[in-house]
Amino acid sequence: MSGLTPFGVTARKLRLEKGMRLLDLAARTKLSVAFLSAVETGKKPIPDGHVRAVGVAMDLTAEQLAELRRAADRTRKTVKIERLPEDQRELVAAFARRIDSVPADLMAKLKKVVLKSVSGEQPFQRKRRGIIVPPMSTPALRDFADKVRTAFVEDDHVEFPIMDVLEFRLGQVFDGFFIDVRDRESMGDDEGRVIGGTMGLALREDVYCGAWEGNGRDRFTACHELAHFLLHRTITMARTREDTDEIYRDAEWQADTFAGTLLMSPRHLPLFSDSEDAANQCGMTGFAAKVMWAKYRSEARFPSAAETPRFL
């Protein structure tokens, strides 16, 4: 089930054909990226004149503008559940009718099902425990992150272009993938999350903009949420990790390990003089770079002095 409306699907397709980011469209229309994203996902109605404003901003042809208008006409604020099994349809309908009466503690437990990043949490030092997921070792996560990196950039490319991948290229691999940029009012402390039941990934507006501007922490958050999308989006109703559970079954630990590896690949270690140099070249925070530097050292991944750096 897609999280985009027919208007959103068409607008995104035309925007990507033009090579435009949501950030670029926002600048041209003088609207926020969160508002544009909310219209595409149906959380806000299509305002009068919006279709024309978007068409002008994207320099659409008459034929493309007509296509966008038809998509706007088809857009309705509905939630399709007909493909769900009968017992699940009944549960969704009952929950929708009685959501106001759900106790706060139960709602809090339900929210834990949604994978998310929270403001103020430091990568690798998160106070919040993740849900229990299938186990993955550090070497397995490093190998997976390396395969993802190889799919999108050349071996000698150091700084991983996470936002270019999310906004323009991941949809070519996963049909229907989209980014939903949301304002702080709707996201609160949540910086990002995988949107359950869709092929979507939500980022808070400041994180989206910050990651495009090269902010290291926001880039890490974007990579962290990519990990959740790739590794955990099909997991539902899982419990939170307890003290007795292995760390390698914690979704947050897995996402941090993946994100750190994606940003600072072990293949590039010969290029860095120290962790600060690595942070600058990889586009990540000094803290995250120091953690990764220490982890790689403990894993004996640094080449010996006799070895010649691969890309120098």
Side-chain angles (χ1 to χ4, degrees):
M1 177 174 64
S2 173
L4 295 176
T5 63
F7 174 79
V9 170
T10 303
R12 181 179 184 276
K13 176 180 74 71
L14 293 171
R15 177 167 53 78
L16 296 186
E17 287 176 356
K18 298 285 186 177
M20 292 180 65
R21 306 172 295 176
L22 272 173
L23 203 60
D24 302 321
L25 185 59
R28 293 191 182 186
T29 57
K30 307 301 183 185
L31 299 169
S32 73
V33 289
F35 178 83
L36 291 171
S37 183
V39 173
E40 288 190 2
T41 55
K43 291 192 291 294
K44 289 185 180 295
I46 302 172
D48 293 340
H50 185 73
V51 174
R52 176 168 178 75
V54 169
V56 171
M58 290 199 289
D59 193 25
L60 299 182
T61 65
E63 183 179 353
Q64 290 172 325
L65 184 59
E67 179 185 3
L68 190 61
R69 290 191 186 280
R70 289 193 295 271
D73 291 338
R74 295 198 307 272
T75 297
R76 297 290 184 272
K77 293 189 70 174
T78 58
V79 177
K80 298 180 180 180
I81 62 173
E82 60 268 19
R83 293 185 180 180
L84 295 176
E86 182 177 356
D87 59 336
Q88 294 184 22
R89 292 200 303 270
E90 292 176 355
L91 179 61
V92 170
F95 187 81
R97 288 194 299 268
R98 301 185 60 185
I99 189 169
D100 291 339
S101 63
V102 175
D105 59 340
L106 177 56
M107 186 62 74
K109 291 180 181 179
L110 290 172
K111 285 183 177 180
K112 289 181 180 179
V113 175
V114 181
L115 301 167
K116 57 188 178 181
S117 295
V118 178
S119 293
E121 286 194 326
Q122 188 79 277
F124 305 113
Q125 289 187 347
R126 300 183 188 276
K127 297 178 181 179
R128 174 177 49 93
R129 294 177 179 178
I131 62 171
I132 289 292
V133 294
M136 282 192 76
S137 66
T138 295
L141 287 163
R142 300 242 193 273
D143 182 64
F144 182 57
D146 191 64
K147 286 182 170 61
V148 171
R149 170 177 274 275
T150 297
F152 293 108
V153 295
E154 298 296 328
D155 286 354
D156 59 351
H157 195 100
V158 178
E159 184 174 315
F160 187 75
I162 179 59
M163 294 308 297
D164 180 69
V165 168
L166 289 180
E167 188 144 20
F168 294 108
R169 302 167 67 182
L170 202 61
Q172 299 172 14
V173 180
F174 295 95
D175 186 36
F177 174 81
F178 65 97
I179 296 181
D180 182 8
V181 182
R182 302 180 180 182
D183 57 28
R184 183 177 286 273
E185 182 180 359
S186 62
M187 291 287 282
D189 287 338
D190 298 349
E191 296 181 317
R193 66 169 69 116
V194 174
I195 308 171
T198 76
M199 291 294 285
L201 189 158
L203 289 178
R204 203 171 63 195
E205 187 174 16
D206 60 309
V207 174
Y208 168 86
C209 294
W212 265 118
E213 292 165 1
N215 179 279
R217 190 181 187 286
D218 294 331
R219 280 171 44 78
F220 193 102
T221 296
C223 291
H224 180 96
E225 293 307 317
L226 172 61
H228 281 318
F229 176 81
L230 296 175
L231 296 171
H232 309 136
R233 71 182 182 278
T234 60
I235 298 172
T236 59
M237 301 307 289
R239 65 179 175 85
T240 304
R241 181 177 64 86
E242 304 291 345
D243 287 336
T244 54
D245 295 312
E246 301 88 347
I247 187 65
Y248 51 79
R249 297 192 64 197
D250 187 302
E252 297 304 311
W253 176 86
Q254 290 186 6
D256 275 351
T257 302
F258 173 93
T261 309
L262 191 63
L263 286 174
M264 187 197 292
S265 171
R267 71 175 70 171
H268 298 138
L269 290 176
L271 296 175
F272 310 138
S273 58
D274 53 29
S275 65
E276 183 178 355
D277 182 36
N280 291 332
Q281 291 197 51
C282 296
M284 58 198 303
T285 65
F287 175 82
K290 284 181 180 179
V291 171
M292 291 302 300
W293 193 265
K295 288 180 180 292
Y296 284 146
R297 188 172 296 283
S298 68
E299 296 168 17
R301 287 181 176 266
F302 285 94
S304 66
E307 291 179 332
T308 303
R310 199 186 320 177
F311 304 121
L312 290 181

